[in-house]
Amino acid sequence: MHDLPTGGWRLEPSTDDTDDEVSSDQQSLGPCFLELQDVLPELEVSPTAGRQFTREATDSLLVVGVIDTDDPPGVLARVESAMAPCSGPQTGTSSGQQTTVESEPADLPGLPDDTLCRHYAMSVGYRSMSGHLCFGAVDDLLVTQMTISTYAFQEVPGDEVVGLLTTALEKARG
């Protein structure tokens, strides 16, 4: 996971600071808002489970994670089932800000087997972002990948999303 993806991505420094106080009063808005902790409560994600990369030229982020699980295909099925009814704009309040999310299954040619990708567009308050949220099953691991772009016209292209996910799955296989 320490190898940089090609295409101008830079590894972000670790933000694991266990002394930070985190608010516990926020309620999950659910899978239609890309919040899957209620769908996958058994997944224990350590701070070292992934890496975050930036591409400054397009103000984009790439977040990749690898999580141990007993049933990666089952996890994919649960995520797909939970997100299936998420069509059209979903609106709610998060941390006191109006939040709107629209996601749909991503039609990405060349997507490897045992993967799931959704394209999303989100606005939180005055900020907006879009990209892809992907999951892949390999052996006893779940690979997660999210691309985040603040400008829709500079979104990470679909073929690059597929290439990055394929590479992450190959690295997870070891």
Side-chain angles (χ1 to χ4, degrees), residues 31-55:
C32 292
F33 288 84
L34 311 182
E35 295 180 2
L36 299 170
Q37 62 270 26
D38 294 338
V39 177
L40 308 170
E42 79 284 359
L43 294 183
E44 297 281 333
V45 182
S46 75
T48 59
R51 296 287 181 258
Q52 179 171 305
F53 303 90
T54 60
R55 180 184 282 162

Side-chain angles (χ1 to χ4, degrees), residues 111-130:
L111 202 59
D113 292 336
D114 294 324
T115 59
L116 164 69
C117 282
R118 292 189 68 93
H119 179 267
Y120 72 90
M122 173 186 291
S123 65
V124 179
Y126 64 89
R127 295 168 295 176
S128 63
M129 60 204 82
S130 62

